[in-house]
Amino acid sequence: MTFRYKISIVSETSRWIHIHDNSNGYEYDPFVFLVKYFQGERKLICVGEVQYRIEEDPFELVYQWDSCFGIVVIYKEKDDKDSVRSFLQRHIDELNKIG
């Protein structure tokens, strides 16, 4: 199955970005595929229950999945919202071209 992603919700107050995938957020596989794409050759660091950071990530993003919300990316600094969104969008566009 080819996964398709898009940014659907950006919460400035909670500092998270929801990424919708074509499984409607109920499948774990699109999350794994997305995180591995962002990870590349870098080390993946578990920071909580189904929450991961990627080594040497300048934004220190936390990639999270759960059966209720699906894929969520948590960013640290409120001022980083636009930069993080642009970063994610650029990579999502590239990732969507792969399929």
Side-chain angles (χ1 to χ4, degrees):
M1 173 181 203
T2 302
F3 303 116
R4 307 287 298 163
Y5 303 92
K6 71 177 183 176
I7 293 174
S8 62
I9 301 170
V10 179
S11 172
E12 188 172 314
T13 55
S14 300
R15 296 184 329 270
W16 57 261
I17 298 173
H18 178 260
I19 298 176
H20 176 81
D21 66 83
N22 58 337
S23 75
N24 294 318
Y26 301 113
E27 306 255 342
Y28 185 65
D29 291 344
F31 172 73
V32 171
F33 190 77
L34 179 89
V35 171
K36 284 185 178 186
Y37 178 79
F38 278 91
Q39 176 187 4
E41 298 296 320
R42 297 175 292 172
K43 182 179 176 183
L44 196 62
I45 304 161
C46 183
V47 294
E49 188 173 331
V50 197
Q51 290 185 321
Y52 301 94
R53 278 190 53 248
I54 297 171
E55 181 180 61
E56 299 176 15
D57 176 358
F59 295 112
E60 298 181 21
L61 301 175
V62 174
Y63 299 83
Q64 172 181 297
W65 183 86
D66 66 50
S67 59
C68 182
F69 296 106
I71 302 169
V72 174
V73 179
I74 303 165
Y75 57 97
K76 264 184 123 165
E77 301 296 328
K78 198 176 198 178
D79 294 341
D80 287 344
K81 179 188 70 143
D82 293 332
S83 298
V84 168
R85 183 183 177 135
S86 293
F87 168 79
L88 292 172
Q89 188 63 59
R90 189 171 53 255
H91 284 80
I92 286 171
D93 290 346
E94 291 173 13
L95 185 57
N96 284 339
K97 289 178 187 176
I98 292 172

XYZ file of all heavy atoms in Angstrom:
846
model
N 0.837 -1.178 0.000
C 0.000 0.000 0.000
C 0.886 1.247 0.000
O 1.870 1.325 0.709
C -0.900 0.001 1.239
C -1.677 1.271 1.419
S -2.693 1.199 2.902
C -3.897 2.394 2.443
N 0.501 2.218 -0.787
C 1.190 3.500 -0.823
C 0.529 4.436 0.172
O -0.689 4.591 0.172
C 1.111 4.107 -2.228
O 1.691 3.196 -3.156
C 1.837 5.420 -2.286
N 1.337 5.051 1.015
C 0.795 5.976 2.001
C 0.856 7.395 1.461
O 1.817 7.785 0.821
C 1.578 5.882 3.319
C 1.594 4.495 3.888
C 2.785 3.803 4.018
C 0.419 3.888 4.286
C 2.807 2.520 4.549
C 0.426 2.614 4.810
C 1.627 1.929 4.938
N -0.175 8.155 1.727
C -0.260 9.566 1.352
C -0.465 10.359 2.637
O -1.272 9.963 3.479
C -1.429 9.819 0.401
C -1.454 8.947 -0.828
C -0.434 9.269 -1.857
N -0.652 10.620 -2.356
C 0.254 11.306 -3.016
N 1.427 10.788 -3.249
N 0.000 12.516 -3.442
N 0.235 11.475 2.758
C 0.192 12.262 3.982
C -0.172 13.713 3.671
O 0.121 14.222 2.589
C 1.560 12.255 4.662
C 2.078 10.876 4.979
C 2.884 10.191 4.078
C 1.757 10.256 6.172
C 3.369 8.924 4.360
C 2.235 8.982 6.470
C 3.037 8.328 5.565
O 3.507 7.078 5.844
N -0.762 14.372 4.666
C -0.969 15.816 4.579
C -1.103 16.371 5.994
O -1.584 15.691 6.909
C -2.187 16.178 3.737
C -3.516 15.849 4.366
C -4.658 16.315 3.485
C -5.981 16.029 4.173
N -7.108 16.529 3.443
N -0.651 17.595 6.161
C -0.801 18.274 7.442
C -2.253 18.713 7.537
O -2.769 19.368 6.635
C 0.154 19.474 7.545
C 1.601 18.972 7.578
C -0.174 20.329 8.771
C 2.647 20.064 7.526
N -2.917 18.332 8.632
C -4.344 18.662 8.725
C -4.671 19.655 9.841
O -5.574 20.446 9.699
C -5.187 17.395 8.878
O -4.860 16.723 10.059
N -3.944 19.622 10.946
C -4.218 20.526 12.067
C -2.888 21.000 12.648
O -1.972 20.193 12.836
C -5.026 19.826 13.183
C -6.352 19.293 12.664
C -5.263 20.788 14.358
C -7.083 18.389 13.647
N -2.804 22.285 12.946
C -1.633 22.840 13.627
C -2.143 23.560 14.867
O -2.948 24.476 14.768
C -0.859 23.830 12.728
C 0.330 24.406 13.480
C -0.425 23.162 11.436
N -1.704 23.101 16.037
C -2.107 23.726 17.290
C -0.937 24.513 17.873
O 0.052 23.919 18.313
C -2.571 22.682 18.299
O -2.777 23.285 19.559
N -1.062 25.820 17.860
C -0.002 26.660 18.418
C 0.003 26.588 19.942
O 1.057 26.567 20.566
C -0.188 28.104 17.963
C 0.981 28.981 18.336
C 0.885 30.349 17.711
O 0.591 30.436 16.509
O 1.105 31.324 18.443
N -1.167 26.494 20.549
C -1.229 26.471 22.015
C -0.658 25.177 22.587
O 0.022 25.202 23.606
C -2.672 26.676 22.522
O -3.523 25.704 21.915
C -3.165 28.067 22.198
N -0.930 24.046 21.935
C -0.422 22.758 22.416
C 0.914 22.377 21.788
O 1.521 21.386 22.171
C -1.437 21.653 22.138
O -2.644 21.924 22.797
N 1.340 23.139 20.767
C 2.592 22.907 20.058
C 2.648 21.515 19.416
O 3.623 20.785 19.564
C 3.799 23.163 20.961
C 3.918 24.591 21.411
C 5.164 24.879 22.219
N 5.675 23.808 23.026
C 5.331 23.560 24.297
N 4.466 24.337 24.897
N 5.856 22.567 24.958
N 1.607 21.161 18.668
C 1.635 19.912 17.920
C 1.012 20.094 16.548
O 0.217 20.998 16.319
C 0.989 18.752 18.673
C -0.438 18.934 19.112
C -0.869 19.294 20.355
C -1.629 18.766 18.331
N -2.239 19.368 20.384
C -2.734 19.037 19.156
C -1.865 18.402 17.010
C -4.045 18.965 18.715
C -3.179 18.334 16.552
C -4.242 18.603 17.411
N 1.434 19.214 15.641
C 0.952 19.213 14.265
C 0.437 17.819 13.962
O 1.164 16.833 14.123
C 2.088 19.609 13.294
C 2.553 21.035 13.600
C 1.633 19.458 11.850
C 3.778 21.476 12.835
N -0.814 17.746 13.534
C -1.414 16.466 13.172
C -1.146 16.205 11.697
O -1.332 17.081 10.857
C -2.919 16.481 13.423
C -3.583 15.204 13.032
N -4.258 15.061 11.853
C -3.642 14.008 13.655
C -4.734 13.829 11.767
N -4.365 13.172 12.845
N -0.693 15.004 11.395
C -0.462 14.598 10.016
C -1.458 13.490 9.683
O -1.459 12.425 10.298
C 0.986 14.113 9.803
C 1.949 15.269 10.104
C 1.167 13.589 8.380
C 3.402 14.898 10.024
N -2.306 13.791 8.730
C -3.323 12.841 8.276
C -2.691 11.906 7.246
O -1.875 12.325 6.435
C -4.482 13.614 7.635
C -5.532 12.747 7.053
N -6.513 12.166 7.818
C -5.751 12.355 5.779
C -7.301 11.459 7.035
N -6.856 11.557 5.789
N -3.058 10.638 7.302
C -2.614 9.701 6.269
C -3.832 8.998 5.700
O -4.922 9.082 6.263
C -1.595 8.695 6.841
C -2.219 7.786 7.880
O -2.849 6.788 7.487
O -2.090 8.079 9.086
N -3.657 8.323 4.577
C -4.805 7.734 3.885
C -5.403 6.514 4.579
O -6.403 5.982 4.115
C -4.471 7.421 2.421
C -3.302 6.475 2.271
O -2.460 6.350 3.153
N -3.210 5.836 1.124
N -4.857 6.112 5.724
C -5.502 5.048 6.506
C -6.431 5.663 7.551
O -7.004 4.966 8.362
C -4.465 4.165 7.198
O -3.907 4.841 8.319
N -6.549 6.993 7.513
C -7.379 7.758 8.448
C -6.899 7.671 9.888
O -7.675 7.825 10.824
C -8.844 7.350 8.348
C -9.422 7.718 7.009
O -9.159 8.802 6.488
N -10.193 6.816 6.416
N -5.617 7.392 10.089
C -5.026 7.422 11.418
C -5.256 6.188 12.261
O -4.897 6.159 13.422
N -5.840 5.157 11.675
C -6.151 3.964 12.460
C -5.126 2.849 12.293
O -5.239 1.814 12.902
C -7.537 3.441 12.110
C -8.605 4.472 12.376
C -9.317 5.047 11.342
C -8.887 4.896 13.674
C -10.295 5.996 11.587
C -9.847 5.854 13.930
C -10.552 6.395 12.874
O -11.493 7.348 13.122
N -4.144 3.075 11.449
C -3.128 2.065 11.191
C -1.769 2.565 11.675
O -1.444 3.746 11.511
C -3.055 1.771 9.693
C -4.371 1.389 9.084
C -4.486 -0.077 8.795
O -3.457 -0.759 8.752
O -5.619 -0.532 8.621
N -0.969 1.670 12.195
C 0.354 2.007 12.723
C 1.405 2.101 11.612
O 2.341 2.873 11.702
C 0.737 0.944 13.752
C 2.022 1.196 14.485
C 2.157 2.291 15.332
C 3.095 0.337 14.344
C 3.335 2.526 16.020
C 4.281 0.555 15.025
C 4.393 1.648 15.863
O 5.556 1.889 16.542
N 1.244 1.327 10.542
C 2.242 1.256 9.473
C 2.568 2.606 8.832
O 3.741 2.886 8.583
C 1.821 0.253 8.398
C 1.870 -1.180 8.893
O 2.498 -1.432 9.940
O 1.278 -2.054 8.231
N 1.594 3.481 8.545
C 1.948 4.784 7.972
C 2.842 5.612 8.904
O 3.706 6.352 8.442
C 0.602 5.478 7.754
C -0.381 4.367 7.644
C 0.142 3.296 8.561
N 2.646 5.478 10.207
C 3.484 6.175 11.177
C 4.919 5.669 11.094
O 5.869 6.464 11.015
C 2.934 5.984 12.594
C 3.850 6.500 13.675
C 3.995 7.863 13.883
C 4.563 5.630 14.480
C 4.841 8.353 14.875
C 5.405 6.097 15.466
C 5.545 7.468 15.668
N 5.082 4.354 11.079
C 6.417 3.758 11.012
C 7.124 4.203 9.732
O 8.288 4.604 9.761
C 6.337 2.216 11.090
C 7.684 1.576 10.801
C 5.804 1.776 12.437
N 6.418 4.165 8.615
C 6.997 4.558 7.338
C 7.438 6.019 7.363
O 8.534 6.360 6.917
C 5.966 4.316 6.222
C 6.523 4.455 4.842
C 7.294 3.448 4.283
C 6.265 5.592 4.098
C 7.808 3.576 3.004
C 6.779 5.732 2.815
C 7.549 4.720 2.267
N 6.598 6.883 7.900
C 6.905 8.309 7.987
C 8.132 8.562 8.863
O 9.046 9.293 8.473
C 5.700 9.069 8.533
C 5.897 10.574 8.696
C 5.515 11.286 7.409
C 5.061 11.100 9.836
N 8.161 7.963 10.038
C 9.287 8.182 10.962
C 10.588 7.646 10.364
O 11.624 8.306 10.439
C 9.005 7.558 12.350
C 10.247 7.584 13.229
C 7.865 8.294 13.031
N 10.544 6.492 9.729
C 11.758 5.951 9.109
C 12.249 6.860 7.990
O 13.446 7.008 7.792
C 11.507 4.541 8.589
C 11.471 3.516 9.698
C 11.337 2.121 9.153
C 11.353 1.132 10.299
N 11.362 -0.244 9.812
N 11.323 7.474 7.273
C 11.709 8.408 6.214
C 12.441 9.609 6.809
O 13.503 9.999 6.328
C 10.477 8.864 5.430
C 10.805 9.866 4.367
C 11.335 9.462 3.154
C 10.599 11.226 4.581
C 11.663 10.382 2.170
C 10.917 12.153 3.604
C 11.446 11.729 2.399
O 11.760 12.645 1.441
N 11.893 10.200 7.859
C 12.534 11.343 8.504
C 13.832 10.938 9.192
O 14.776 11.711 9.261
C 11.592 12.000 9.518
C 10.617 12.953 8.899
C 9.374 12.517 8.487
C 10.939 14.288 8.723
C 8.461 13.391 7.912
C 10.043 15.176 8.151
C 8.803 14.717 7.741
N 13.893 9.720 9.713
C 15.065 9.239 10.438
C 16.288 9.106 9.534
O 17.380 9.509 9.917
C 14.757 7.886 11.078
C 15.930 7.264 11.776
C 15.639 5.844 12.245
O 14.570 5.287 11.977
N 16.582 5.258 12.947
N 16.097 8.540 8.371
C 17.233 8.288 7.483
C 18.246 7.390 8.164
O 17.905 6.337 8.687
N 19.491 7.827 8.215
C 20.570 7.043 8.834
C 20.802 7.411 10.295
O 21.705 6.874 10.928
C 21.871 7.241 8.043
C 21.781 6.762 6.601
C 21.549 5.264 6.503
O 22.155 4.501 7.282
O 20.726 4.858 5.650
N 20.029 8.334 10.812
C 20.232 8.789 12.193
C 19.573 7.832 13.196
O 18.695 7.056 12.854
C 19.673 10.205 12.371
C 20.399 11.210 11.496
C 19.791 12.564 11.570
N 18.460 12.552 10.955
C 17.608 13.554 10.995
N 17.920 14.667 11.622
N 16.445 13.473 10.403
N 19.984 7.956 14.432
C 19.479 7.111 15.511
C 18.090 7.577 15.947
O 17.829 8.774 16.072
C 20.436 7.181 16.697
C 20.042 6.321 17.861
C 21.062 6.438 18.980
C 20.618 5.655 20.187
N 21.543 5.813 21.308
N 17.201 6.619 16.201
C 15.862 6.882 16.711
C 15.887 6.731 18.225
O 16.417 5.750 18.746
C 14.872 5.885 16.102
C 13.406 6.204 16.193
C 13.090 7.495 15.450
C 12.585 5.064 15.609
N 15.334 7.694 18.939
C 15.367 7.695 20.398
C 13.939 7.618 20.923
O 13.112 8.491 20.615
C 16.044 8.983 20.926
C 17.454 9.122 20.332
C 16.064 9.006 22.444
C 18.013 10.515 20.404
N 13.635 6.594 21.702
C 12.311 6.451 22.310
C 12.223 7.397 23.507
O 13.067 7.363 24.391
C 12.087 5.014 22.754
S 10.446 4.728 23.442
N 11.190 8.253 23.526
C 11.042 9.220 24.617
C 9.717 9.047 25.361
O 9.396 9.834 26.245
C 11.176 10.679 24.114
C 12.578 10.935 23.609
C 10.140 11.001 23.058
N 8.952 8.028 25.031
C 7.679 7.772 25.688
C 6.967 6.642 24.979
O 7.521 6.016 24.080
N 5.744 6.388 25.392
C 4.965 5.322 24.770
C 4.597 5.737 23.352
O 3.827 6.671 23.139
C 3.701 5.032 25.574
C 2.981 3.817 25.088
C 1.829 3.437 25.994
O 1.883 3.722 27.198
O 0.875 2.872 25.470
N 5.200 5.084 22.382
C 5.052 5.358 20.949
C 5.351 6.836 20.646
O 4.642 7.503 19.911
C 3.680 4.919 20.405
C 3.725 4.830 18.891
C 3.221 3.591 20.970
N 6.428 7.326 21.253
C 6.940 8.675 21.003
C 8.432 8.565 20.729
O 9.161 7.924 21.501
C 6.745 9.586 22.216
C 5.332 9.964 22.499
C 5.270 10.954 23.648
O 6.010 10.850 24.619
N 4.384 11.917 23.521
N 8.855 9.203 19.647
C 10.249 9.090 19.228
C 10.819 10.435 18.824
O 10.112 11.271 18.270
C 10.370 8.136 18.033
C 9.853 6.765 18.344
C 8.543 6.416 18.047
C 10.662 5.820 18.957
C 8.047 5.156 18.349
C 10.180 4.560 19.270
C 8.867 4.230 18.956
O 8.390 3.000 19.264
N 12.104 10.609 19.108
C 12.886 11.734 18.598
C 13.933 11.162 17.662
O 14.297 9.993 17.768
C 13.606 12.460 19.737
C 12.733 13.438 20.464
C 13.482 14.337 21.439
N 14.604 15.027 20.817
C 15.892 14.791 21.099
N 16.232 13.891 22.007
N 16.843 15.453 20.501
N 14.447 12.016 16.805
C 15.493 11.607 15.884
C 16.767 12.367 16.253
O 16.736 13.590 16.426
C 15.078 11.876 14.425
C 13.842 11.021 14.100
C 16.217 11.575 13.473
C 13.205 11.341 12.769
N 17.836 11.613 16.397
C 19.129 12.179 16.758
C 19.499 13.327 15.817
O 19.266 13.250 14.612
C 20.172 11.065 16.668
C 21.564 11.448 17.022
C 22.493 10.264 16.906
O 22.625 9.723 15.786
O 23.087 9.877 17.920
N 20.062 14.383 16.396
C 20.548 15.542 15.650
C 19.440 16.297 14.909
O 19.706 16.968 13.908
C 21.663 15.142 14.685
C 22.873 14.554 15.380
C 23.928 14.070 14.407
O 23.872 14.426 13.215
O 24.806 13.324 14.848
N 18.227 16.210 15.364
C 17.127 16.974 14.787
C 17.188 18.392 15.355
O 17.060 18.573 16.562
C 15.791 16.315 15.135
C 14.579 17.085 14.668
O 14.738 18.184 14.083
O 13.459 16.604 14.880
N 17.387 19.406 14.522
C 17.535 20.770 15.040
C 16.283 21.288 15.756
O 16.384 22.143 16.627
C 17.838 21.606 13.787
C 17.381 20.784 12.648
C 17.484 19.350 13.078
N 15.108 20.764 15.418
C 13.866 21.194 16.066
C 13.523 20.343 17.296
O 12.591 20.666 18.024
C 12.695 21.132 15.089
C 12.805 22.090 13.941
C 12.996 21.628 12.655
C 12.716 23.460 14.145
C 13.081 22.509 11.584
C 12.798 24.350 13.085
C 12.997 23.871 11.799
N 14.237 19.230 17.484
C 13.957 18.292 18.576
C 12.491 17.855 18.567
O 11.816 17.822 19.596
C 14.347 18.898 19.919
C 15.827 19.206 20.011
C 16.235 19.783 21.353
O 15.501 19.600 22.350
O 17.300 20.424 21.395
N 11.990 17.511 17.393
C 10.602 17.091 17.238
C 10.366 15.744 17.889
O 11.245 14.884 17.926
C 10.253 16.997 15.745
C 10.421 18.274 14.944
C 10.160 18.005 13.460
C 9.507 19.361 15.462
N 9.159 15.559 18.389
C 8.730 14.270 18.927
C 7.629 13.760 18.003
O 6.615 14.437 17.791
C 8.215 14.391 20.377
C 7.635 13.068 20.846
C 9.325 14.861 21.304
N 7.841 12.573 17.443
C 6.871 11.930 16.564
C 6.071 10.958 17.416
O 6.644 10.099 18.080
C 7.586 11.190 15.438
C 8.406 12.107 14.564
C 9.698 12.486 14.925
C 7.881 12.605 13.386
C 10.449 13.336 14.132
C 8.621 13.457 12.573
C 9.908 13.817 12.956
O 10.641 14.665 12.170
N 4.753 11.102 17.392
C 3.895 10.308 18.279
C 2.760 9.678 17.474
O 2.238 10.281 16.543
C 3.313 11.232 19.341
C 2.257 10.610 20.221
C 1.732 11.613 21.217
O 2.469 12.102 22.051
N 0.447 11.935 21.130
N 2.375 8.478 17.869
C 1.223 7.828 17.264
C 0.370 7.224 18.364
O 0.875 6.659 19.340
C 1.644 6.716 16.306
C 0.463 6.084 15.635
C -0.153 6.510 14.495
C -0.263 4.934 16.062
N -1.212 5.705 14.195
C -1.305 4.725 15.146
C -0.155 4.076 17.149
C -2.215 3.685 15.260
C -1.057 3.035 17.263
C -2.073 2.845 16.332
N -0.935 7.343 18.214
C -1.863 6.576 19.056
C -3.119 6.301 18.246
O -3.375 6.927 17.221
C -2.157 7.263 20.392
C -2.906 8.568 20.266
O -3.937 8.602 19.578
O -2.468 9.542 20.880
N -3.895 5.355 18.712
C -5.062 4.907 17.955
C -6.189 5.934 17.911
O -7.077 5.843 17.079
C -5.587 3.578 18.522
O -5.938 3.753 19.881
N -6.140 6.934 18.754
C -7.173 7.965 18.770
C -6.837 9.112 17.815
O -7.660 9.517 17.004
C -7.350 8.493 20.191
S -8.633 9.742 20.340
N -5.617 9.642 17.904
C -5.237 10.819 17.122
C -4.453 10.496 15.862
O -4.331 11.330 14.980
C -4.436 11.790 17.989
C -5.216 12.344 19.132
C -4.985 11.903 20.428
C -6.210 13.284 18.925
C -5.715 12.407 21.493
C -6.949 13.791 19.978
C -6.700 13.350 21.269
N -3.850 9.329 15.787
C -3.009 9.004 14.646
C -1.629 9.607 14.803
O -1.032 9.546 15.872
N -1.111 10.245 13.748
C 0.246 10.786 13.734
C 0.232 12.241 14.192
O -0.482 13.067 13.634
C 0.851 10.705 12.323
C 0.871 9.269 11.821
C 2.262 11.311 12.312
C 1.205 9.139 10.348
N 1.039 12.514 15.199
C 1.190 13.878 15.714
C 2.680 14.159 15.864
O 3.436 13.301 16.311
C 0.478 14.039 17.082
C 0.758 15.406 17.679
C -1.012 13.807 16.945
N 3.084 15.369 15.469
C 4.463 15.809 15.659
C 4.429 16.966 16.652
O 3.725 17.949 16.441
C 5.103 16.248 14.327
C 6.527 16.733 14.561
C 5.086 15.106 13.318
N 5.175 16.808 17.730
C 5.198 17.811 18.794
C 6.478 18.633 18.645
O 7.567 18.072 18.525
C 5.160 17.134 20.180
C 3.914 16.251 20.295
C 5.218 18.178 21.292
C 3.945 15.265 21.442
N 6.329 19.955 18.641
C 7.495 20.823 18.544
C 7.683 21.568 19.855
O 6.745 21.788 20.606
C 7.391 21.775 17.347
C 6.183 22.673 17.309
C 6.244 23.981 17.770
C 4.975 22.224 16.778
C 5.139 24.812 17.722
C 3.860 23.048 16.720
C 3.947 24.343 17.192
O 2.846 25.165 17.135
N 8.930 21.951 20.147
C 9.289 22.522 21.444
C 8.913 23.980 21.608
O 8.312 24.369 22.597
C 10.804 22.407 21.656
C 11.224 21.216 22.443
C 12.718 21.269 22.657
C 12.967 21.220 24.134
N 14.312 20.925 24.508
N 9.324 24.798 20.684
C 9.204 26.239 20.823
C 8.045 26.790 20.004
O 7.925 26.477 18.819
C 10.500 26.930 20.395
C 11.723 26.509 21.180
C 11.660 26.880 22.640
O 11.056 27.928 22.979
O 12.199 26.117 23.457
N 7.228 27.599 20.616
C 6.087 28.217 19.944
C 6.523 28.988 18.699
O 5.854 28.969 17.673
C 5.383 29.148 20.929
C 4.007 29.538 20.574
C 3.435 30.364 21.704
C 1.930 30.429 21.621
N 1.354 31.174 22.723
N 7.665 29.640 18.775
C 8.174 30.436 17.656
C 8.612 29.578 16.471
O 8.812 30.100 15.374
C 9.356 31.303 18.106
C 8.940 32.365 19.111
O 7.735 32.674 19.198
O 9.823 32.887 19.817
N 8.780 28.277 16.682
C 9.220 27.366 15.616
C 8.070 26.869 14.743
O 8.317 26.169 13.763
C 9.944 26.149 16.203
C 11.329 26.485 16.720
O 11.847 27.557 16.366
O 11.883 25.673 17.481
N 6.837 27.209 15.080
C 5.671 26.638 14.390
C 5.782 26.719 12.873
O 5.633 25.708 12.179
C 4.386 27.305 14.855
C 3.140 26.770 14.152
C 1.914 27.570 14.477
C 2.034 28.891 13.827
N 0.960 29.554 13.269
N 6.021 27.897 12.335
C 6.060 28.061 10.882
C 7.243 27.328 10.256
O 7.104 26.711 9.195
C 6.085 29.545 10.510
C 4.774 30.243 10.867
O 3.713 29.585 10.888
O 4.832 31.465 11.133
N 8.393 27.375 10.908
C 9.574 26.673 10.391
C 9.360 25.167 10.405
O 9.708 24.479 9.445
C 10.809 27.021 11.222
O 11.085 28.390 11.134
N 8.791 24.660 11.484
C 8.533 23.225 11.598
C 7.494 22.801 10.559
O 7.657 21.783 9.880
C 8.073 22.838 13.025
C 7.538 21.419 13.072
C 9.209 23.010 14.013
N 6.445 23.589 10.417
C 5.417 23.252 9.426
C 6.018 23.211 8.014
O 5.747 22.292 7.243
C 4.270 24.243 9.485
C 3.164 23.874 8.528
C 2.052 24.879 8.520
N 1.080 24.456 7.526
C -0.204 24.445 7.710
N -0.709 24.840 8.844
N -1.008 24.041 6.757
N 6.843 24.176 7.678
C 7.493 24.201 6.363
C 8.407 22.990 6.180
O 8.420 22.364 5.121
C 8.302 25.482 6.189
O 7.465 26.589 6.129
N 9.171 22.684 7.226
C 10.060 21.522 7.202
C 9.266 20.239 6.952
O 9.599 19.445 6.073
C 10.819 21.442 8.533
C 11.554 20.167 8.767
C 12.780 19.932 8.170
C 11.034 19.196 9.613
C 13.469 18.752 8.397
C 11.712 18.010 9.848
C 12.932 17.793 9.232
N 8.204 20.048 7.724
C 7.382 18.853 7.567
C 6.722 18.814 6.193
O 6.706 17.762 5.540
C 6.318 18.788 8.663
C 6.809 18.551 10.087
C 5.658 18.709 11.082
C 7.460 17.184 10.222
N 6.185 19.940 5.740
C 5.494 19.980 4.448
C 6.439 19.631 3.301
O 6.079 18.877 2.399
C 4.860 21.352 4.209
C 3.975 21.385 2.977
C 2.791 20.449 3.103
O 1.993 20.583 4.012
N 2.685 19.486 2.201
N 7.629 20.166 3.347
C 8.619 19.883 2.296
C 8.919 18.381 2.226
O 8.932 17.790 1.144
C 9.890 20.684 2.589
C 10.912 20.679 1.509
C 12.052 21.674 1.756
N 12.700 21.555 3.046
C 12.528 22.406 4.066
N 11.718 23.440 3.976
N 13.171 22.231 5.210
N 9.110 17.761 3.392
C 9.418 16.326 3.413
C 8.189 15.479 3.070
O 8.323 14.445 2.414
C 9.998 15.937 4.780
C 11.415 16.362 4.920
N 11.773 17.644 5.236
C 12.570 15.684 4.743
C 13.084 17.725 5.277
N 13.594 16.561 4.980
N 7.026 15.904 3.489
C 5.797 15.176 3.141
C 5.582 15.214 1.634
O 5.206 14.203 1.022
C 4.586 15.731 3.926
C 4.676 15.285 5.378
C 3.269 15.300 3.288
C 3.662 15.949 6.294
N 5.813 16.368 1.017
C 5.681 16.471 -0.447
C 6.622 15.499 -1.141
O 6.225 14.813 -2.084
C 5.957 17.903 -0.917
C 4.871 18.891 -0.520
O 3.762 18.453 -0.114
O 5.137 20.118 -0.585
N 7.866 15.417 -0.678
C 8.837 14.485 -1.240
C 8.402 13.042 -1.017
O 8.475 12.209 -1.918
C 10.208 14.705 -0.619
C 10.867 16.001 -1.012
C 12.161 16.261 -0.246
O 12.687 15.331 0.407
O 12.639 17.408 -0.297
N 7.951 12.760 0.178
C 7.516 11.407 0.528
C 6.315 10.982 -0.304
O 6.248 9.849 -0.776
C 7.173 11.363 2.028
C 6.802 10.030 2.640
C 7.904 9.003 2.433
C 6.520 10.195 4.116
N 5.368 11.878 -0.532
C 4.187 11.554 -1.340
C 4.552 11.268 -2.796
O 3.817 10.542 -3.477
C 3.151 12.682 -1.249
C 2.406 12.677 0.061
O 2.336 11.671 0.763
N 1.861 13.821 0.427
N 5.659 11.809 -3.294
C 6.094 11.550 -4.663
C 6.674 10.148 -4.820
O 6.689 9.609 -5.918
C 7.148 12.578 -5.087
C 6.572 13.951 -5.306
C 7.673 14.922 -5.676
C 7.141 16.335 -5.730
N 8.230 17.307 -5.990
N 7.172 9.572 -3.712
C 7.790 8.242 -3.762
C 6.778 7.188 -4.181
O 7.063 6.307 -4.950
C 8.424 7.864 -2.397
C 9.626 8.757 -2.123
C 8.817 6.401 -2.353
C 10.216 8.599 -0.736
N 5.563 7.294 -3.622
C 4.516 6.297 -3.895
C 4.037 6.389 -5.264
O 3.764 5.647 -6.059
